[in-house]
Amino acid sequence: MRKRSKYRPKPLLVNPLGYVLESLKPVSQHEQYLVELKIKNHLAMTTLTRGEATRSDIDTLIASVNIVEALYRLGFGKEYADVVREGLDALRDVGKRGVESGRFILKSTEMNALNLVMELHDAQMDLITIKDMDKAVELVKEEFRQRKMRPIVESKT
């Protein structure tokens, strides 16, 4: 067997100056993207509050709450630590019950916590730049790669 090389080529940017200029723009200037993101997230939240949520709706909410937590760690909304923690806990509890029962049903405290997290997500999207969003996505990917994220269902080993 051949030894795996540690060399990993870095991706080359086709237009480095364009990348830098684009990363300085606020996300709020990309109105179409922002509207589509908010519609997708709020639709998932609405189906969850109705008790009609599917696995993909929960995945959408998990992704948005992970971004909220990453942006919080990067300094956007430091005063909302309790909102982020309660939102993560509420989503984990809903997911755990959903995996066990096959239906994702919210309790009132979880609904309030998730609504606050979604409000924080919308506020963060109005403040951040594309570069901040890239950093948050990379932070989430790195946490996932290193298996530092709390899973919804604990493995039984």
Side-chain angles (χ1 to χ4, degrees):
M1 274 175 51
R2 204 175 133 192
K3 182 181 171 189
R4 276 185 64 166
S5 174
K6 291 184 180 182
Y7 172 72
R8 299 283 183 264
K10 289 188 176 182
L12 296 176
L13 296 175
V14 176
N15 184 3
L17 183 61
Y19 174 77
V20 170
L21 292 175
E22 187 70 22
S23 68
L24 296 175
K25 276 186 171 180
V27 173
S28 60
Q29 286 187 0
H30 296 274
E31 291 179 20
Q32 185 66 28
Y33 169 75
L34 192 58
V35 168
E36 288 174 6
L37 179 68
K38 286 182 180 181
I39 287 172
K40 185 171 109 175
N41 291 340
H42 288 282
L43 181 62
M45 187 65 195
T46 302
T47 57
L48 181 61
T49 56
R50 288 188 197 153
E52 303 167 353
T54 62
R55 176 91 182 199
S56 65
D57 294 327
I58 297 299
D59 289 342
T60 300
L61 290 173
I62 289 170
S64 63
V65 173
N66 283 341
I67 292 296
V68 168
E69 182 189 18
L71 288 170
Y72 161 76
R73 286 184 183 180
L74 293 173
F76 296 95
K78 279 289 188 187
E79 58 274 7
Y80 298 104
D82 55 338
V83 172
V84 174
R85 183 181 25 78
E86 290 171 4
L88 285 167
D89 291 342
L91 192 57
R92 186 169 190 265
D93 293 342
V94 169
K96 191 173 186 179
R97 281 195 316 271
V99 168
E100 292 169 356
S101 68
R103 294 187 65 206
F104 298 98
I105 306 294
L106 280 173
K107 293 180 181 177
S108 65
T109 55
E110 295 166 345
M111 185 184 301
N112 291 335
L114 287 175
N115 281 331
L116 287 174
V117 167
M118 293 310 291
E119 285 181 37
L120 181 59
H121 182 270
D122 292 344
Q124 286 174 334
M125 290 299 119
D126 292 336
L127 293 176
I128 65 172
T129 63
I130 300 294
K131 185 176 183 177
D132 298 327
M133 185 66 148
D134 287 342
K135 284 182 187 176
V137 169
E138 287 302 317
L139 182 62
V140 169
K141 284 181 182 177
E142 187 64 20
E143 293 273 321
F144 182 76
R145 188 183 68 76
Q146 293 180 357
R147 297 179 185 222
K148 289 184 178 179
M149 293 182 166
R150 269 191 325 174
I152 288 185
V153 179
E154 303 291 335
S155 62
K156 297 176 183 179
T157 50

Coordinates of all heavy atoms in Angstrom, one line a residue, residues 80-114:
Y80 N -26.7 37.6 23.8 CA -27.8 36.6 23.7 C -27.3 35.2 23.9 O -27.8 34.3 23.3 CB -28.5 36.7 22.3 CG -29.1 38.1 22.1 CD1 -28.5 39.0 21.3 CD2 -30.3 38.4 22.7 CE1 -29.0 40.3 21.1 CE2 -30.9 39.7 22.5 CZ -30.2 40.6 21.7 OH -30.8 41.8 21.5
A81 N -26.5 35.0 24.9 CA -25.9 33.7 25.1 C -27.0 32.7 25.6 O -27.1 31.6 25.2 CB -24.8 33.7 26.2
D82 N -27.9 33.2 26.4 CA -29.0 32.3 26.9 C -30.0 32.0 25.8 O -30.5 30.8 25.8 CB -29.8 33.0 28.1 CG -30.3 34.4 27.7 OD1 -29.8 35.0 26.7 OD2 -31.3 34.9 28.3
V83 N -30.2 32.9 24.8 CA -31.1 32.6 23.7 C -30.5 31.4 22.9 O -31.2 30.5 22.5 CB -31.4 33.8 22.9 CG1 -32.1 33.5 21.6 CG2 -32.1 34.9 23.7
V84 N -29.2 31.5 22.6 CA -28.5 30.5 21.8 C -28.6 29.2 22.5 O -28.9 28.1 21.9 CB -27.1 30.9 21.5 CG1 -26.4 29.8 20.7 CG2 -27.1 32.2 20.6
R85 N -28.2 29.2 23.8 CA -28.2 27.9 24.5 C -29.6 27.3 24.6 O -29.7 26.1 24.4 CB -27.6 28.2 25.9 CG -27.5 26.9 26.8 CD -26.9 27.2 28.2 NE -27.1 28.5 28.7 CZ -28.3 28.9 29.3 NH1 -29.3 28.1 29.3 NH2 -28.4 30.2 29.7
E86 N -30.6 28.1 24.9 CA -31.9 27.5 25.1 C -32.5 27.0 23.7 O -33.2 26.0 23.6 CB -32.9 28.6 25.7 CG -32.6 28.8 27.1 CD -33.4 30.0 27.6 OE1 -34.2 30.6 26.9 OE2 -33.2 30.4 28.8
G87 N -32.1 27.7 22.6 CA -32.5 27.3 21.3 C -31.9 26.0 20.9 O -32.6 25.1 20.4
L88 N -30.6 25.8 21.2 CA -29.9 24.6 20.9 C -30.5 23.4 21.7 O -30.8 22.3 21.2 CB -28.4 24.7 21.2 CG -27.6 25.5 20.2 CD1 -26.2 25.8 20.7 CD2 -27.5 24.7 18.9
D89 N -30.8 23.7 23.0 CA -31.4 22.6 23.8 C -32.8 22.3 23.4 O -33.1 21.1 23.3 CB -31.4 23.1 25.3 CG -30.0 23.2 25.9 OD1 -29.1 22.6 25.3 OD2 -29.9 23.9 26.9
A90 N -33.6 23.3 23.0 CA -34.9 23.0 22.5 C -34.9 22.2 21.3 O -35.7 21.2 21.1 CB -35.7 24.3 22.3
L91 N -34.1 22.6 20.3 CA -34.0 21.8 19.1 C -33.5 20.4 19.3 O -34.0 19.5 18.7 CB -33.1 22.6 18.1 CG -33.1 22.1 16.6 CD1 -34.6 22.2 16.1 CD2 -32.2 22.9 15.8
R92 N -32.6 20.2 20.2 CA -32.1 18.9 20.5 C -33.2 18.0 21.1 O -33.4 16.9 20.8 CB -30.9 19.0 21.5 CG -30.3 17.7 21.7 CD -28.9 17.9 22.5 NE -28.2 16.6 22.5 CZ -28.2 15.8 23.5 NH1 -29.0 16.1 24.6 NH2 -27.5 14.7 23.5
D93 N -34.0 18.6 22.0 CA -35.1 17.9 22.7 C -36.2 17.5 21.7 O -36.7 16.4 21.7 CB -35.7 18.7 23.8 CG -34.7 18.9 25.0 OD1 -33.7 18.1 25.1 OD2 -35.0 19.8 25.8
V94 N -36.5 18.4 20.8 CA -37.5 18.1 19.8 C -37.0 17.0 18.9 O -37.8 16.1 18.5 CB -37.9 19.4 19.0 CG1 -38.7 19.1 17.7 CG2 -38.6 20.4 19.8
G95 N -35.8 17.1 18.4 CA -35.2 16.1 17.6 C -35.1 14.7 18.2 O -35.4 13.7 17.6
K96 N -34.8 14.7 19.5 CA -34.7 13.4 20.2 C -36.1 12.8 20.3 O -36.2 11.6 20.0 CB -34.1 13.7 21.6 CG -33.7 12.5 22.3 CD -33.0 12.8 23.6 CE -32.5 11.6 24.3 NZ -31.8 11.9 25.5
R97 N -37.1 13.6 20.7 CA -38.4 13.0 20.7 C -38.9 12.6 19.3 O -39.6 11.6 19.2 CB -39.4 14.1 21.3 CG -39.4 14.2 22.8 CD -40.6 14.9 23.4 NE -40.9 16.1 22.6 CZ -40.4 17.3 22.9 NH1 -39.6 17.5 23.8 NH2 -40.9 18.3 22.1
G98 N -38.6 13.4 18.3 CA -39.0 13.0 17.0 C -38.4 11.8 16.5 O -39.0 11.0 15.8
V99 N -37.1 11.5 16.8 CA -36.5 10.3 16.4 C -37.1 9.1 17.1 O -37.4 8.0 16.4 CB -35.0 10.3 16.7 CG1 -34.3 9.0 16.5 CG2 -34.3 11.3 15.7
E100 N -37.5 9.3 18.3 CA -38.1 8.2 19.1 C -39.5 7.9 18.6 O -40.0 6.7 18.5 CB -38.1 8.5 20.6 CG -36.7 8.5 21.2 CD -36.7 9.1 22.6 OE1 -37.7 9.5 23.1 OE2 -35.6 9.1 23.2
S101 N -40.3 9.0 18.4 CA -41.7 8.8 18.1 C -42.1 8.8 16.6 O -43.2 8.4 16.2 CB -42.6 9.8 18.8 OG -42.3 11.1 18.3
G102 N -41.2 9.4 15.8 CA -41.5 9.5 14.4 C -42.2 10.8 14.0 O -42.4 11.1 12.9
R103 N -42.6 11.6 15.1 CA -43.2 12.9 14.8 C -42.5 14.0 15.6 O -42.1 13.8 16.8 CB -44.7 12.9 15.3 CG -45.5 11.9 14.4 CD -47.0 12.0 14.8 NE -47.5 13.3 14.4 CZ -48.5 13.9 15.0 NH1 -49.2 13.3 16.0 NH2 -48.9 15.1 14.6
F104 N -42.4 15.2 15.0 CA -41.7 16.3 15.7 C -42.7 17.2 16.2 O -43.3 18.0 15.5 CB -40.8 17.0 14.7 CG -39.7 16.1 14.1 CD1 -39.8 15.5 12.9 CD2 -38.5 15.9 14.9 CE1 -38.8 14.7 12.4 CE2 -37.5 15.1 14.4 CZ -37.7 14.5 13.1
I105 N -42.9 17.2 17.6 CA -43.9 18.0 18.2 C -43.2 18.9 19.2 O -42.4 18.4 20.0 CB -45.0 17.1 19.0 CG1 -45.6 16.0 18.0 CG2 -46.0 17.9 19.6 CD1 -46.4 16.6 16.9
L106 N -43.6 20.2 19.2 CA -43.0 21.1 20.1 C -43.8 21.3 21.4 O -45.0 21.2 21.4 CB -43.0 22.5 19.4 CG -42.0 22.8 18.4 CD1 -42.3 24.2 17.8 CD2 -40.6 22.9 19.1
K107 N -43.1 21.6 22.5 CA -43.7 22.1 23.7 C -43.7 23.6 23.6 O -42.9 24.2 22.9 CB -42.9 21.6 24.9 CG -42.9 20.1 25.1 CD -42.1 19.7 26.3 CE -42.2 18.1 26.5 NZ -41.4 17.7 27.6
S108 N -44.5 24.2 24.5 CA -44.6 25.7 24.4 C -43.2 26.4 24.7 O -42.9 27.4 24.0 CB -45.7 26.2 25.3 OG -45.3 26.0 26.6
T109 N -42.5 25.9 25.7 CA -41.2 26.5 26.0 C -40.2 26.4 24.9 O -39.4 27.3 24.6 CB -40.6 25.9 27.3 OG1 -40.5 24.5 27.1 CG2 -41.5 26.3 28.5
E110 N -40.3 25.2 24.2 CA -39.4 25.0 23.0 C -39.8 25.9 21.9 O -38.9 26.4 21.2 CB -39.4 23.5 22.6 CG -38.9 22.6 23.7 CD -39.3 21.1 23.4 OE1 -40.2 20.9 22.6 OE2 -38.6 20.3 24.1
M111 N -41.1 26.1 21.7 CA -41.5 27.0 20.6 C -41.0 28.4 20.8 O -40.5 29.1 19.9 CB -43.0 27.0 20.5 CG -43.6 27.8 19.3 SD -45.4 27.9 19.2 CE -45.8 26.2 19.1
N112 N -41.1 28.9 22.1 CA -40.6 30.2 22.4 C -39.1 30.3 22.2 O -38.7 31.3 21.6 CB -41.0 30.6 23.9 CG -42.5 30.8 24.0 OD1 -43.2 31.1 23.1 ND2 -42.9 30.6 25.3
A113 N -38.4 29.3 22.6 CA -36.9 29.4 22.5 C -36.6 29.4 21.0 O -35.7 30.1 20.6 CB -36.3 28.2 23.2
L114 N -37.2 28.5 20.2 CA -36.9 28.5 18.8 C -37.3 29.7 18.0 O -36.6 30.2 17.1 CB -37.5 27.2 18.1 CG -36.8 25.9 18.5 CD1 -37.6 24.7 18.0 CD2 -35.4 25.9 18.1

